[in-house]
Amino acid sequence: MGGKAVATGKDRQKQLAREHYERQMQRRIEREQKAKRTAIIGSTVGVVIVVGGIVAAVALLGGNDTGTEAAASPSAAATPADTAQASASTGPKPYDAKTGTCDYVKDTSGGTVKDVGMPPTKVKTEPATKTMTFKTNLGDIVVELNNAKAPCTTNSLEFLAKKNYYDGSKCHRLGSDQFPMLQCGDPTAKADGKSQTDGQGGPGYVMAEENLQGAQYKRGVMAMAKTNAPGSTGSQFFLVYGDIGLTPDYTPVGTITKGLDILDKVNKAGNIPGAMGDGTGAPKQTVEIKDVTIAGKS
C-alpha cells in the first residue's frame, strides 16, 4: 500500500527550518525589488551629493534629505540632525485644529538657507482649495492645492510665493520612466549636472507632514520633499508625471491641473545622470520658475 512515509521529529524540524529559510529569502528578495522601485525624495544636506526627503551618502523629494538616494528604501540611514528632528519634543507639531495654528521650527540640518522669515502660524482651512500657478520658461504649471487637508503646507507655499522665494529658481532633479518626477524648490540649485550641492537649499524652517493617510503618488500629484526623518518638510517639492510606488511619507499637497504636457516634454529630453547612480539627475531641458502666485484668499 503506497503513501508518504511519516517524518520523524528531527526530519520535521529540518523541513520547518528549510521552509522558514525559504520564506525569509523570498521576503528579502521582495524587499530588494521593492526598494529598487521606490525612492526617497528629499533635499540633500551634508551629503556627497541628493528626494528628497530625498541618501547617496543618503537621502525627496523631501526637503533636506541627507542626500536623496532615490533608489534606496525610505528607511535610509539618518544623520544626527535627522534623529534630532524625529524627536517629538523638538520636531514640529502637526496642525492644531482647535486653535487653527501650525508649527514651523528652525531647520537645524545644515543646508543652504534662503532666509525670508517664518510663515504666520495662524491659518484657515477655507477655502478648501487654492490655485497655485508656476510661471516657467516653458509655460504655466497650475496646481490645485488641498488647503483643507494640508493647511500648514499650503500656508507655507503661499508665504514663500509672496516673498518671491521661488522666483528665478531651477528644478534640479528629474527622474526617469521608472521614477517619473521633477523635483524643484531649492532656490540655490544650479541644475547643471555639475553642482554637488543641488538639493541642499531650503527656507531655514521645517514643518510636519500632512495628508498622509492613503497617500499615493500618481501622475498629476504635487508632493513635498523631505528627508527620511519625520517633520522635515521644507520648500522643496516634486511634480509627478507617472506613477511612483513611494511609501506615504511625503505630503501630497495638490493636483496638477495644467502643465503635465510640459513635464512630459522635459522627461522626453532626458536628464544628466547624477552621482547617486539612481537614474536621476539635472534635466537636460532647463525648467526655471519665473514667478509663483496663489489665488483663493482665506
Side-chain angles (χ1 to χ4, degrees), residues 41-44 49-52 54 60-63 65 68 169-175 181-195 197-201 225 235-238 271-272 274 280-289:
I41 310 285
S43 56
T44 38
I49 168 229
V50 179
V51 38
I54 234 254
L60 227 342
L61 279 194
D65 66 10
T68 309
S169 65
K170 296 178 180 178
C171 298
H172 64 278
R173 186 180 180 213
L174 177 70
M181 66 88 213
L182 177 67
Q183 187 169 338
C184 318
D186 173 1
T188 65
K190 294 181 173 59
D192 58 4
K194 300 176 184 177
S195 174
T197 59
D198 283 8
Q200 295 187 18
S235 63
Q236 292 190 41
F237 57 89
F238 57 104
N271 64 27
I272 305 168
T280 70
K284 290 182 178 179
Q285 170 66 68
T286 298
V287 183
E288 181 177 350
I289 298 173

Side-chain angles (χ1 to χ4, degrees), residues 186-245:
D186 173 1
T188 65
K190 294 181 173 59
D192 58 4
K194 300 176 184 177
S195 174
Q196 296 294 298
T197 59
D198 283 8
Q200 295 187 18
Y205 66 83
V206 290
M207 72 197 89
E209 287 66 55
E210 302 179 288
N211 194 26
L212 298 183
Q213 186 172 358
Q216 293 184 321
Y217 308 91
K218 297 184 177 296
R219 178 176 170 86
V221 167
M222 172 179 168
M224 303 303 293
K226 62 181 287 292
T227 71
N228 55 317
S232 56
T233 294
S235 63
Q236 292 190 41
F237 57 89
F238 57 104
L239 305 172
V240 183
Y241 53 85
D243 293 347
I244 308 178

Side-chain angles (χ1 to χ4, degrees), residues 128-139:
T129 62
K130 294 189 177 186
T131 302
M132 186 174 197
T133 302
F134 295 96
K135 292 190 177 299
T136 79
N137 58 314
L138 301 177

Side-chain angles (χ1 to χ4, degrees), residues 38-158:
T38 61
I40 290 184
I41 310 285
S43 56
T44 38
V45 170
V47 287
V48 179
I49 168 229
V50 179
V51 38
I54 234 254
V55 202
V58 211
L60 227 342
L61 279 194
N64 291 354
D65 66 10
T66 21
T68 309
E69 171 184 56
S73 73
S75 59
T79 64
D82 288 337
T83 304
Q85 286 184 354
S87 170
S89 61
T90 58
K93 298 177 179 62
Y95 171 69
D96 187 333
K98 290 183 179 179
T99 60
T101 57
C102 297
D103 189 27
Y104 304 103
V105 303
K106 182 179 176 59
D107 182 3
T108 59
S109 60
T112 306
V113 173
K114 179 179 178 180
D115 189 357
V116 292
M118 289 272 198
T121 57
K122 193 75 173 177
V123 303
K124 294 182 180 180
T125 55
E126 292 183 0
T129 62
K130 294 189 177 186
T131 302
M132 186 174 197
T133 302
F134 295 96
K135 292 190 177 299
T136 79
N137 58 314
L138 301 177
D140 289 356
I141 297 176
V142 181
V143 178
E144 184 178 271
L145 299 176
N146 192 337
N147 185 48
K149 292 186 177 181
C152 297
T153 310
T154 299
N155 181 58
S156 172
L157 291 171
E158 190 166 12

Side-chain angles (χ1 to χ4, degrees), residues 22-33:
E22 289 173 349
R23 285 196 300 272
Q24 284 185 319
M25 292 304 295
Q26 181 60 33
R27 283 196 291 268
R28 179 178 177 182
I29 292 171
E30 290 172 354
R31 283 197 302 270
E32 290 174 348
Q33 289 176 337

